[in-house]
Amino acid sequence: MARIVVVDLGMGNLRSVERAITRAAEDRGVASEVVRSGRAEDVLGADKIVVPGQGAFRDCAAALAGELGEALREAIRRGKPYLGICLGLQALFASSEEAPGAAGLGVFRGAVRRLDPGAGADAVKIPHIGWNRLEMTRTPEGALGAWGAEAPHVYFVHSYHAVPEDPSIVVATVTHGPNVVTAAVARDNVTAVQFHPEKSQGAGLVLLGAFVAA
Amino acid sequence: MLAKRIIPCLDVKDGRVVKGVQFVGLRDAGDPVEAARRYDEAGADEITFLDITASHEKRGTLLDMVRAAADQIFVPLTVGGGVGSERDIEALLDAGADKIAINTAAVREPELVERAAARWGAQAIVVAIDARRVGTDEPSPTMGAPPGEPGSAPKPPRWTVVTHGGRRETGLDVVAWSKRITELGAGEILLTSMDRDGTKAGYDLALTRAVADAVRVPVIASGGVGTLAHLYEGLVEGGADAALCASIFHDGTYSVAEAKAYLAGRGVPVRLGEPRRGGS
């Protein structure tokens, strides 16, 4: 039975993420155990890691400053499947404009930047809230390949997004006014999405199911 | 491009849906959890519960209901009605709500919105504004000024914020209040026209447009939807980012899918259901 650890960074409710993973595993007929933990040893003992997060980058960085962050980096180095959601994507980068001086995991090079509200006819609302259709920027491997030919609408709630130095890690983007928003990145065992699969109905459950089943 | 959202709203009292929901095969038209689940399956983009339970003692019923709904639906859930403190907000978020709508308490204590947004993020804090028209679209009756003179220019309409279900006037101007409360941290505005609510005469489009143009956060239009054309008008002419609907869906007049197909046909970006496999 796959032991999936939902990493608790102390940033709000993880219930919907746990529930969606459990449901997605049931849909795929995969036996799994979903455990919530903020302990380094549980991260290192997991078969798969899911890092959700909603809230402020500074709080996230603070939660990652000690041995929990070290354990996550080590687990990624060892090749453990990692799924980051929202702040769980942004945390993979070194820094964010949202909290100057606060350090992320630094797994990927690049920074997290504030979305541009634009001006005039191009003006958009920030936060970027709602359903936006993914545009795949390359043929996805792994869990992000689960949707097949037609990229779905997925649910976003955020004001910042990651801008990787290496564009080849980007798998999907969405357009929001003047912004080409980084919606999904992947490299080796690491997959991360800016949107919320746990709130993206069927499309989200398909992604979570593919991550659990892989 | 961001899709316009269609949000069924369930008014709930003492743990029961106030107006029964007509779904084929629904066992209990008054069960909010089952109604929410059916709307999720039907392709609703979000679901909103507005609790109008009067007594404070029965708030536990609401929390149980939110918990049960959150376990079964996989779209965002907004809960509002009687939210008066950070303790209320925390309890609802812990129960599984994604966003909390604050109405009367925001007027009484705008700093509550500021603190809540700082603590839980603007995206979790919706401010609900009930608006009543005090101006008029008609030319002002300026005595003696012939048509075409400056004195006969139409006076722009104005709206005032009302609370306690429309029973109390606050004297606040809706557009100014919308700006102020979003500057304090409200992540979305749920804007209800009390003049149109329940009339099925369509949204107050001038109101919706005035607020949508004034704030930099999404605006959810509410109050007055009776036809699919009204949805189009609210989202396009009114400039709303989302449409909150109650009776047109609850009555079974239209399905969420019909509403979205209609909007898509008129060029409005919406999220359509995932295509079914294997044929028509």
Side-chain angles (χ1 to χ4, degrees), chain B residues 79-102:
Chain B
V79 182
V83 175
S85 67
E86 282 142 302
R87 181 187 277 192
D88 291 344
I89 297 169
E90 184 169 35
L92 288 166
L93 289 172
D94 279 351
D98 297 288
K99 311 186 211 186
I100 307 301
I102 308 174

